Amino acid sequence: MAGLALELGLGALAKAARTRLRGQDRPQAPALSEGSAERLVAALSRARGAALKVGQLLSMADAELLPPQLQDAELLPPQLQDAELLPPQLQPLLARLRQSAEPMPGWQSRAVLDAELGRGWREQLQEFQEVPVAAASLGQVHRGRLRCGTPVAIKVQYPGVARSIGSDVENLLTLLSITPGLPKGLFAAPALRALQRELELECDYEREAQSTQKFRSLLGSDRFFRVPAVVPALSARRVLCTEWGRGAALERCRGLPQERRDQICTELLRLCLQELFQFRFMQTDPNWANFLYDPERHKVTLLDFGACRSFEKEFTDLYIEVIRAAADRDEEKILSKSRELKFLTGFESPAMESLHVQAVLLLGEPFWGSQPFDFGAQGTARGVRGLLPRMLRGRLGPPPEPSYALHRKLGGVFMACAHLGGRVRCRELFLQLHSSYTQRGNASSAEGGLQPKNGVTSSGIPECRKGP
């Protein structure tokens, strides 16, 4: 990684120098050869942990933030060829990082299973596939089948990955500290510290099992989403077993009819708003591989609840009013609520306050009118990107801690809707939720008293049934 960083860093410095010599203020994409791009992706795939997670987040970034070797604009559909928003799955190298870390050898995964479940774990399965079907930043997934015939997914954590997260983040912070030209208003350290805390929690699969069961209860009667049940007998701190999820990842749904894509995007945004303002409990990983669409049932199965967090009532009370102010284009309210939320310190210059209001209004654009918002034709990312350099120069403090995970999830949902070209009545969805939020007096319906649903017993074990 050090050699790779040196090679990439020297290329970026050379590119920056050429930019300055030409008298251009705007930095161009880093100089990255095709071979270096391949090495970058391969190194991140082997590194796993925090390094791979950062690579996965990069894979969902806006196209102009990435060098051309990590993109393939020729694959864009005609309606997006002139746009600056490149769908993540068309960044062929970085896209691998979302599902394709380097798997561990069989003896190593068996050692983890033996240590966590005891040597008799195999006797509880009719079938266990030694070769993983997916490998991610913290663990890999094997397919299996319970003795009663129920297909299951068994996630096994990489040995030592939990211990490596702290050092990964420290190394990233060191690299950032010696990187020239980073604006002070970026406040990268708080963002990486927040990512470190999240990843450390994600390494606790017992906590993930509890979060999965909680979401299964919250969405038990949902018309569109389902959550696989946990199998406690085959789950532990570094192993998690759940029912197998049916369907294809969202990035493969672009060829569906427009009406279907509109419905999927509407449900994605509806769920995101529900998680924040109704449940106050959100799955914050924006990876599209966590959403499996089943065209036969027209339903989406939700996966991977390691990145879950709660939101305090005080935060959601203010945040919902910021969105309402953006939807109503109330600039004074945007400023006052942003100060209360600590997005602004109150000591910013009038110019910085104006930039902040412009950014919030741009992000609130989907909620402006009653007509469906066309995510495929929007230019929000381009508009916000134009404001960012000046905002980073005038920013006086980091954003509130809950916003890191929240905005990562919101950004992922918006990017998914843009990729699918969905048209959504966003304002109608939001106003319905805002009304119910106000009427129930901000009651925390997600806290306690939830009964298992969808065929889960009190222990969370799925009802065994024959067949797939």
Side-chain angles (χ1 to χ4, degrees), residues 49-294:
L52 178 56
K53 183 66 74 171
V54 170
Q56 290 174 340
L57 295 176
L58 278 175
S59 77
M60 304 187 73
D62 186 80
E64 286 199 353
L65 299 179
L66 298 172
Q69 291 79 8
L70 302 181
Q71 308 166 8
D72 191 349
E74 293 180 359
L75 297 178
L76 279 170
Q79 65 269 31
L80 285 180
Q81 282 183 357
D82 295 328
E84 296 183 21
L85 189 68
L86 186 65
Q89 93 292 351
L90 299 180
Q91 300 158 7
L93 293 178
L94 280 180
R96 288 191 229 147
L97 299 178
R98 292 202 294 278
Q99 298 180 347
S100 301
E102 187 170 300
M104 55 184 152
W107 65 266
Q108 198 172 42
S109 57
R110 287 193 298 273
V112 176
L113 287 161
D114 288 345
E116 293 294 317
L117 304 177
R119 293 188 176 276
W121 62 269
R122 186 64 179 81
E123 298 173 5
Q124 301 182 56
L125 294 168
Q126 178 187 127
E127 176 187 348
F128 177 77
Q129 294 184 6
E130 295 279 351
V131 178
V133 294
S137 55
L138 303 179
Q140 62 190 39
V141 179
H142 296 259
R143 185 161 188 164
R145 191 176 295 274
L146 299 179
R147 298 200 69 83
C148 63
T150 300
V152 292
I154 303 171
K155 184 161 68 171
V156 183
Q157 190 174 120
Y158 304 129
V161 73
R163 296 192 303 273
S164 74
I165 289 171
S167 60
D168 285 350
V169 170
E170 290 299 329
N171 290 335
L172 287 169
L173 286 170
T174 300
L175 285 173
L176 287 174
S177 69
I178 62 175
T179 300
L182 287 181
K184 293 182 179 179
L186 185 61
F187 292 103
L192 283 176
R193 293 296 183 199
L195 178 64
Q196 177 181 348
R197 289 190 291 271
E198 292 168 19
L199 288 175
E200 288 170 347
L201 290 175
E202 283 188 55
C203 287
D204 184 352
Y205 286 179
E206 291 175 334
R207 178 181 180 273
E208 181 176 350
Q210 293 171 1
S211 297
T212 304
Q213 291 171 328
K214 182 171 182 175
F215 255 100
R216 186 171 165 83
S217 294
L218 290 168
L219 295 173
S221 58
D222 193 89
R223 63 178 182 265
F224 190 75
F225 296 102
R226 71 174 300 272
V227 177
V230 174
V231 183
L234 289 169
S235 299
R237 189 172 181 81
R238 293 188 296 162
V239 177
L240 177 64
C241 181
T242 67
E243 289 179 303
W244 185 261
R246 290 180 52 175
L250 282 185
E251 51 196 308
R252 295 170 57 188
C253 296
R254 192 177 180 85
L256 293 174
Q258 182 69 52
E259 183 181 357
R260 278 289 175 103
R261 287 183 281 127
D262 292 347
Q263 291 171 352
I264 293 172
C265 293
T266 298
E267 296 294 347
L268 287 175
L269 184 59
R270 189 258 305 176
L271 175 63
C272 190
L273 293 173
Q274 265 190 302
E275 288 177 86
L276 181 59
F277 297 122
Q278 183 177 333
F279 306 154
R280 294 214 308 274
F281 186 68
M282 177 178 275
Q283 193 272 38
T284 60
D285 188 345
N287 192 335
W288 300 354
N290 295 336
F291 301 83
L292 300 182
Y293 176 67
D294 183 350

Side-chain angles (χ1 to χ4, degrees), residues 6 32 40 71 85 87 128 154 180 183 215 223 264 273 313 321 328 348-349 367 453:
L6 179 61
L32 194 63
L40 171 63
Q71 308 166 8
L85 189 68
F128 177 77
I154 303 171
F215 255 100
R223 63 178 182 265
I264 293 172
L273 293 173
K313 173 180 177 293
E321 292 307 320
D328 296 340
E348 284 80 9
S349 67
F367 305 102
K453 300 173 185 177

Side-chain angles (χ1 to χ4, degrees), residues 279-411:
F279 306 154
R280 294 214 308 274
F281 186 68
M282 177 178 275
Q283 193 272 38
T284 60
D285 188 345
N287 192 335
W288 300 354
N290 295 336
F291 301 83
L292 300 182
Y293 176 67
D294 183 350
E296 294 181 9
R297 302 181 184 182
H298 189 44
K299 290 183 181 294
V300 164
T301 297
L302 304 175
L303 305 176
D304 197 346
F305 293 89
C308 287
R309 66 161 297 151
S310 299
F311 292 89
E312 296 293 333
K313 173 180 177 293
E314 291 77 12
F315 179 84
T316 57
D317 283 355
L318 291 170
Y319 200 90
I320 198 170
E321 292 307 320
V322 170
I323 297 181
R324 181 61 192 262
D328 296 340
R329 287 176 267 192
D330 185 338
E331 297 186 8
E332 287 300 320
K333 188 176 180 181
I334 289 174
L335 275 178
S336 64
K337 294 300 178 182
S338 294
R339 292 189 190 109
E340 290 185 66
L341 266 174
K342 310 300 182 188
F343 279 102
L344 296 172
T345 66
F347 296 98
E348 284 80 9
S349 67
M352 177 59 193
E353 289 184 343
S354 175
L355 287 170
H356 176 81
V357 169
Q358 290 177 57
V360 174
L361 287 173
L362 277 170
L363 294 171
E365 185 180 358
F367 305 102
W368 284 358
S370 58
Q371 70 281 1
F373 182 77
D374 189 345
F375 281 92
Q378 53 85 27
T380 303
R382 183 168 58 253
V384 172
R385 185 173 54 247
L387 299 174
L388 273 178
R390 288 176 290 163
M391 290 184 68
L392 291 177
R393 286 195 296 268
R395 206 171 175 190
L396 298 181
E401 188 274 336
S403 69
Y404 291 113
L406 170 59
H407 289 172
R408 190 164 64 244
K409 175 62 176 283
L410 287 172

